[in-house]
């Protein structure tokens, strides 16, 4: 992984090698904490990084398959994951990365995910997931306790 400060181009300000055990396929900045970054990989994990100290991830969340996409919830408390053959899952970093739920109705790999804030309430989250091969878009609802 390379991070750049646009004021200091063309040299990256940070380089991290071997951050995962396989190819990295996704990354997303935290929506409110500017130093937090989450990354996903074919190694079936999501890692949360503090970019102020990149020696080791803050957390490693095991997923049910190689990761295609990661998406922080708009309030930053959950991570939505599209995993290759493991469907779609929601992880809670505050609970040590516990998987709260998994959606597995796609007939093939889940490639994309996103939160649907307009279809959500305080106690029910809506998420959308899509798959290239089964040509499907699903909208899921998850009860939050």
């Amino acid at each position: 992984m390379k991070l750049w400060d646009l004021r200091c181009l063309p040299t990256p300000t940070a380089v991290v090698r071997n951050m995962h055990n396989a190819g990295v396929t996704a990354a997303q900045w935290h929506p409110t904490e500017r130093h937090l970054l989450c990354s996903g990989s074919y190694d079936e994990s999501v890692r949360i990084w503090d970019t102020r100290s990149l020696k080791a991830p803050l957390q490693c969340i095991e997923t049910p398959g190689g990761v295609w996409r990661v998406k922080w919830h708009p309030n930053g408390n959950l991570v939505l994951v599209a995993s290759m053959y493991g469907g779609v899952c929601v992880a809670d970093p505050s609970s040590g990365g516990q998987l709260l739920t998994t959606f597995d109705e796609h007939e093939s790999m889940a490639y994309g995910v996103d939160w649907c804030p307009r279809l959500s309430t305080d106690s029910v989250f809506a998420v959308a997931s899509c798959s290239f091969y089964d040509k499907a878009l699903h909208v899921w609802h998850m009860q939050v306790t």
Side-chain angles (χ1 to χ4, degrees), residues 48 59-61 76-79 90-101:
I48 299 178
Q59 191 167 50
C60 182
I61 301 168
N77 64 338
L78 301 173
V79 178
V90 177
D92 180 1
S94 70
S95 70
Q98 175 185 356
L99 298 184
L100 300 180
T101 190

Side-chain angles (χ1 to χ4, degrees), residues 50-74:
D50 183 332
T51 59
R52 298 170 297 184
S53 176
L54 292 167
K55 292 182 182 177
L58 294 175
Q59 191 167 50
C60 182
I61 301 168
E62 299 302 319
T63 63
V67 175
W68 277 111
R69 296 287 178 266
V70 294
K71 189 76 175 189
W72 285 102
H73 185 274

Side-chain angles (χ1 to χ4, degrees), residues 2-81:
K2 294 181 182 180
L3 300 175
W4 283 269
D5 180 335
L6 296 179
R7 299 167 297 182
C8 302
L9 291 176
T11 305
T13 54
V15 177
V16 180
R17 302 203 187 283
N18 302 318
M19 62 185 287
H20 282 275
N21 297 321
V24 177
T25 56
Q28 190 188 33
W29 292 105
H30 191 278
T32 60
E33 300 293 331
R34 66 183 186 172
H35 61 277
L36 293 182
L37 175 72
C38 118
S39 62
S41 168
Y42 287 131
D43 68 3
E44 301 184 358
S45 75
V46 170
R47 299 193 181 179
I48 299 178
W49 301 87
D50 183 332
T51 59
R52 298 170 297 184
S53 176
L54 292 167
K55 292 182 182 177
L58 294 175
Q59 191 167 50
C60 182
I61 301 168
E62 299 302 319
T63 63
V67 175
W68 277 111
R69 296 287 178 266
V70 294
K71 189 76 175 189
W72 285 102
H73 185 274
N75 69 16
N77 64 338
L78 301 173
V79 178
L80 184 60
V81 179

